[in-house]
Amino acid sequence: MLNNLKIGARLGIGFAAVLVLLLIIAGTAYLRVGEINQDINRIVGDRFPKTVKASELIEQGNAVSRHLRNMLLMDKATEVAEQKEQIMAARKRARELRDELQNTIRSDEGKRLMQALNDAMLPFANANTRTIELIESGQREEARRFLLEEVRPKEIAFRKSIEAVIAFQTKMMNEAGSKAEQTAAATHTLILILGAIAILLSLALAWGITRSVVAPIHAAVAAAGRIAAGDLTQPLQADGRDEVAELLQALQRMQQELGQIVTSLQAKSNELSEAASGLAATAEQVSQATQEQSESASSMAASVEQMTVSIGQVADYAGDAERLSGDAGRLTDSGSEVIASLVNEMHEIAGSNERASATMRSLSESSHAISNVVSVIKEVADQTNLLALNAAIEAARAGEQGRG
């Protein structure tokens, strides 16, 4: 599946997954810390201030009781009046604290406890007022008795109602603290779990992405090594559509093309071998033909030499024929003269027979000489034709050898 994604997309998915896990961890920690902060704010900003106010309310009740006792012990009117003012101020502050508590308490249990506090506070205040009236009217013994029998129990009831509120707020604080501790512990555990999951998932993504990239690259390197070593028989498996798959596909095409080139080279080599064999045979034939041509050339040279000798002989015969022809011509001229003389002398037949016989013998010799000249010329012509025929045959043979 990862091989169908580009390497950049895979890395982006891995970083995005890690970022999402970090955001989940950060978001969880933020929410949990927010819960802890709310618990702490409830403790610091709500529960504890209520406890402080309730404790101050107890202090104001104690102040009222203390100033009442002081009024009983003091005789001077100014001192008694001063103590009364202190009591009024303490009661006023107590009412303010009660109102603040009543406005901030929202739980049903808290409201119930505040109602109990109000129910205890009003009798305590009324008892204080009655004690002051007795003291101001000079009934100190009655005021002392009323303080011990009436005011003291109401003060104790008022204090207990406030202590109940304090106990409730302390319980709420403890619960908020426990909840904050539990939330912190749960947050700590959850962050550890999410961190472990993030680490494991990051390692798994890193391993998967690395394996999806490195394994095909190793295959591509091995394939390139085999191709470089001349092994073009091993098939290449190119799965996916990423850059490494494209590289393997390119190597596969290169291997196929190299295989085709090698096959073509082998075919060409076979053809070249056959051509070399044919060329060797042709060279042998050429060598034989050259040898035959050399022999023919030698034969032709001999024939030419013979022809040269024959031509020389023919030239000699021609010279002889020329001389004989000259002689024949001269003889012919002489014969013509003789014939002319004979014609002229035919009329003189009556001449001397001896002279005629001598003349006839002379004519017979001249005719025999002419016949010899003609025979020589015929032999020369036959010899010349024979030499010319031999030369033509040798020339034709030499031409055929040259074409071979």
Side-chain angles (χ1 to χ4, degrees):
M1 179 179 179
L2 290 176
N3 292 333
N4 294 325
L5 298 175
K6 298 293 185 180
I7 295 177
R10 273 178 266 174
L11 294 176
I13 290 173
F15 286 120
V18 173
L19 182 60
V20 168
L21 291 173
L22 290 176
L23 289 175
I24 291 173
I25 294 173
T28 303
Y30 177 79
L31 294 176
R32 292 288 184 167
V33 170
E35 292 179 4
I36 296 172
N37 188 41
Q38 289 178 359
D39 293 334
I40 293 174
N41 287 333
R42 279 194 291 270
I43 293 172
V44 176
D46 185 43
R47 305 284 189 267
F48 183 71
K50 290 177 182 179
T51 304
V52 172
K53 290 176 182 179
S55 298
E56 187 179 355
L57 185 57
I58 291 176
E59 180 62 28
Q60 295 302 325
N62 292 333
V64 170
S65 297
R66 185 171 59 252
H67 292 307
L68 280 175
R69 288 191 297 271
N70 290 336
M71 287 181 70
L72 286 173
L73 295 175
M74 294 176 181
D75 294 329
K76 293 181 179 181
T78 55
E79 293 177 350
V80 171
E82 183 180 354
Q83 294 299 319
K84 182 180 178 180
E85 289 179 358
Q86 294 293 333
I87 291 171
M88 294 297 119
R91 290 174 64 176
K92 181 181 179 181
R93 177 59 183 163
R95 289 192 298 270
E96 292 175 353
L97 291 171
R98 181 201 61 187
D99 293 338
E100 290 177 2
L101 285 172
Q102 195 164 2
N103 292 330
T104 56
I105 291 177
R106 297 178 180 84
S107 65
D108 295 337
E109 181 65 17
K111 290 179 180 180
R112 186 187 66 78
L113 292 174
M114 283 303 299
Q115 185 62 42
L117 188 149
N118 288 326
D119 293 341
M121 185 176 181
L122 182 60
F124 178 58
N126 292 332
N128 291 333
T129 302
R130 178 59 181 165
T131 303
I132 293 172
E133 291 175 351
L134 291 173
I135 292 172
E136 288 178 343
S137 64
Q139 300 178 16
R140 290 182 175 270
E141 290 297 331
E142 182 65 22
R144 185 178 297 109
R145 184 192 63 78
F146 188 81
L147 178 65
L148 293 175
E149 294 179 0
E150 299 293 337
V151 176
R152 182 65 179 169
K154 291 178 176 56
E155 178 189 1
I156 293 172
F158 176 63
R159 184 184 296 113
K160 287 182 177 180
S161 66
I162 297 173
E163 289 175 351
V165 172
I166 293 173
F168 175 72
Q169 295 300 325
T170 302
K171 176 184 176 184
M172 296 293 288
M173 281 194 299
N174 292 332
E175 289 178 355
S178 299
K179 183 180 177 182
E181 290 179 359
Q182 292 174 1
T183 304
T187 302
H188 183 265
T189 304
L190 183 60
I191 289 175
L192 288 178
I193 293 173
L194 291 177
I197 293 173
I199 292 173
L200 293 176
L201 185 57
S202 300
L203 291 175
L205 286 173
W207 179 81
I209 293 173
T210 303
R211 186 175 180 275
S212 67
V213 173
V214 173
I217 289 178
H218 286 167
V221 171
R226 290 195 302 269
I227 293 173
D231 184 6
L232 303 177
T233 60
Q234 296 295 327
L236 292 177
Q237 188 69 25
D239 297 330
R241 294 191 296 270
D242 59 351
E243 292 83 353
V244 180
E246 293 176 357
L247 174 61
L248 288 173
Q249 291 172 1
L251 287 174
Q252 187 177 20
R253 290 193 299 271
M254 182 182 72
Q255 180 177 342
Q256 292 174 353
E257 292 177 359
L258 286 175
Q260 293 176 358
I261 292 173
V262 170
T263 303
S264 177
L265 288 176
Q266 288 178 349
K268 295 296 183 183
S269 176
N270 293 331
E271 292 178 0
L272 183 61
S273 177
E274 293 176 357
S277 300
L279 183 62
T282 303
E284 185 176 359
Q285 292 178 359
V286 169
S287 176
Q288 293 176 357
T290 302
Q291 185 176 0
E292 292 176 358
Q293 186 175 3
S294 176
E295 292 175 357
S296 299
S298 300
S299 176
M300 183 176 179
S303 299
V304 170
E305 184 177 359
Q306 292 177 1
M307 186 183 293
T308 302
V309 174
S310 298
I311 290 172
Q313 292 178 357
V314 169
D316 292 338
Y317 289 151
D320 293 338
E322 183 181 1
R323 287 193 299 272
L324 291 175
S325 296
D327 293 337
R330 285 192 297 272
L331 289 175
T332 302
D333 291 337
S334 176
S336 297
E337 290 178 357
V338 171
I339 291 171
S341 177
L342 180 59
V343 171
N344 290 325
E345 288 181 356
M346 286 293 288
H347 297 288
E348 295 178 357
I349 294 174
S352 175
N353 288 328
E354 294 179 358
R355 192 175 51 192
S357 297
T359 301
M360 290 298 291
R361 286 193 297 271
S362 177
L363 286 175
S364 177
E365 291 176 357
S366 296
S367 296
H368 182 69
I370 290 169
S371 177
N372 291 331
V373 169
V374 172
S375 298
V376 169
I377 291 171
K378 185 177 180 181
E379 291 178 358
V380 169
D382 292 336
Q383 187 68 31
T384 300
N385 291 330
L386 181 60
L387 291 175
L389 180 60
N390 289 331
I393 292 171
E394 292 297 332
R397 184 179 298 171
E400 290 179 356
Q401 294 294 327
R403 286 193 299 272

